[in-house]
Amino acid sequence: MNPLLKVENLQVSFPWKNKSIKAVDGVSFEVSHKKIIALVGESGSGKSVTALSIMGLIAYEGGRVEGGEILFDGQEILKMKEKRLSRIRGKDIAMIYQDPITSLNPGISVGEQIRESLLIHKIASRKESKQIALNLMREVEIPDADRRYGNLPASFSGGMRQRIMIAMALSCQPRLLIADEPTTSLDVSLQADIMNTLQEMKNRMGMSILLITHDLGLVAQYADNVVVMYCGKVMEESPVDMLFEEPLHPYTVGLINCIPRIDTTQEQLFSIPGYVPSIYDYPLGCRFHNRCSKAKPICREKMPDIININDARKVRCWLYQ
Ligand code: SF4
């Protein structure tokens, strides 16, 4: 079966002075039907730029897709006219963002905001849409949904606002949900609640999720496949169990070592030494070499290609070439 989403050699740039700065540099991956694929990496790795490109929104952020393909259910998104794309966006592909307070309209009640998408995409009549919006509020576990339908976003807690964002995103029963750091601003118990809600809704609606996160703990628990990004490039791609059993790329090893563990008496939390290089000045060779304890002379000179290790795994590192 063809994947629901196929991103092939995606290249996205931002203008800077008289130059063009590449934020996403030849990224390829697939999202299969009914699966959760995690895009993982530190800030500046290109995860969110990739997501906005899939949504066809990167131009609004000042970016430009320079090359590559994004196929959604076999249709090339990058060549679509805005009118056609806007019919897909919100309906077939929906997105939830990290910060619900800036994503929700502060002056419109939450119920009406959930209802709006149903009306825009002509999913339901005005009368039906109110009932659907109320049902969605109940499904994402907003307590006392009937009474709170008319409340403004500011009267809800951070966790509840994120649930409202989820209800909005799921209102048209999308086939692909892009969840960009959906739990970052929440405490640990709320994170689990929100992720469980997302997983439950995914199973019920049969949708796929592209989960964008820097939190490998979440990935271990919820994702099927993982794509590890660093400085605009895919460094490793693997099914989740194999990745945690035997991470291949030194960056992935570092990320996994950063996960706090309760079964050891670690006195200090591990962190990957050094800094992510500036997007304005990526080093020659492997972009991770200034932080890699396994770097060899060739790592400073030439970027390794991404290669298949087996049918399921890929890695970009000179240690495997
Ligand atoms: Fe480290 Fe070299 Fe592999 Fe880059 S290519 S991750 S520097 S060993």
Side-chain angles (χ1 to χ4, degrees):
M1 191 192 262
N2 285 335
L4 180 63
L5 179 79
K6 185 171 182 186
V7 176
E8 188 69 39
N9 195 25
L10 181 67
Q11 297 175 46
V12 186
S13 297
F14 286 82
W16 181 67
K17 296 188 175 170
N18 290 329
K19 293 188 206 159
S20 175
I21 303 295
K22 227 173 223 182
V24 167
D25 191 1
V27 163
S28 304
F29 63 91
E30 294 180 358
V31 179
S32 302
H33 293 264
K34 302 179 188 176
K35 298 285 183 203
I36 299 183
I37 309 303
L39 266 192
V40 177
E42 291 162 286
S43 297
S45 59
K47 311 181 298 287
S48 296
V49 172
T50 302
L52 287 170
S53 305
I54 296 167
M55 291 295 284
L57 295 173
I58 199 63
Y60 297 99
E61 297 290 325
R64 205 177 114 99
V65 176
E66 303 272 7
E69 283 188 328
I70 300 176
L71 297 168
F72 176 71
D73 205 13
Q75 302 172 78
E76 171 54 287
I77 282 183
L78 297 174
K79 290 192 181 130
M80 274 181 202
K81 292 259 181 334
E82 178 55 31
K83 199 172 164 192
R84 184 148 165 242
L85 187 56
S86 63
R87 282 204 293 267
I88 289 181
R89 193 191 299 136
K91 184 170 178 287
D92 295 306
I93 309 177
M95 187 161 173
I96 51 177
Y97 301 87
Q98 191 178 129
D99 182 7
I101 196 68
T102 53
S103 311
L104 290 166
N105 186 326
I108 300 179
S109 77
V110 296
E112 287 302 306
Q113 291 191 60
I114 298 169
R115 192 183 186 189
E116 200 180 351
S117 183
L118 292 159
L119 295 172
I120 288 172
H121 291 288
K122 299 188 173 71
I123 302 284
S125 66
R126 289 202 72 77
K127 200 170 151 199
E128 290 165 339
S129 61
K130 179 162 184 189
Q131 200 49 51
I132 297 174
L134 269 170
N135 287 343
L136 277 162
M137 286 176 72
R138 290 183 199 115
E139 281 181 56
V140 298
E141 293 167 29
I142 307 281
D144 206 1
D146 293 78
R147 193 176 58 82
R148 305 219 66 189
Y149 180 95
N151 289 168
L152 294 175
S155 66
F156 290 84
S157 66
M160 285 298 140
R161 282 196 289 260
Q162 195 57 287
R163 286 177 187 279
I164 291 156
M165 284 292 298
I166 293 173
M168 279 172 71
L170 300 186
S171 59
C172 297
Q173 306 210 349
R175 297 168 67 199
L176 174 67
L177 177 71
I178 302 177
D180 189 358
E181 305 274 9
T183 61
T184 301
S185 55
L186 307 174
D187 67 42
V188 177
S189 65
L190 279 177
Q191 279 186 4
D193 281 354
I194 294 285
M195 284 309 300
N196 289 338
T197 303
L198 274 178
Q199 195 175 45
E200 208 181 295
M201 302 291 270
K202 170 215 157 239
N203 291 339
R204 196 140 50 76
M205 293 180 171
M207 65 182 176
S208 307
I209 297 181
L210 180 61
L211 173 66
I212 296 176
T213 182
H214 62 273
D215 184 343
L216 273 185
L218 282 189
V219 172
Q221 228 180 322
Y222 296 98
D224 297 295
N225 256 51
V226 190
V227 177
V228 181
M229 287 184 68
Y230 187 75
C231 294
K233 290 219 168 260
V234 173
M235 293 295 176
E236 181 162 3
E237 194 180 333
S238 170
V240 74
D241 47 349
M242 293 184 194
L243 189 96
F244 283 91
E245 209 174 286
E246 191 196 354
L248 298 176
H249 198 282
Y251 178 54
T252 316
V253 174
L255 288 176
I256 290 176
N257 286 340
C258 291
I259 303 174
R261 296 181 53 168
I262 49 170
D263 59 340
T264 62
T265 51
Q266 263 177 304
E267 289 192 352
Q268 252 192 328
L269 289 178
F270 177 83
S271 65
I272 302 172
Y275 298 96
V276 178
S278 161
I279 191 172
Y280 304 108
D281 192 22
Y282 282 146
L284 206 63
C286 170
R287 290 178 183 170
F288 188 61
H289 81 241
N290 62 337
R291 306 173 79 187
C292 181
S293 60
K294 303 212 161 143
K296 307 188 279 186
I298 190 170
C299 304
R300 295 180 182 85
E301 288 157 20
K302 212 168 160 226
M303 167 88 71
D305 290 331
I306 191 156
I307 58 159
N308 291 313
I309 294 294
N310 54 38
D311 284 352
R313 305 194 71 178
K314 291 179 184 173
V315 68
R316 181 191 297 281
C317 174
W318 283 116
L319 297 177
Y320 303 92
Q321 312 208 356

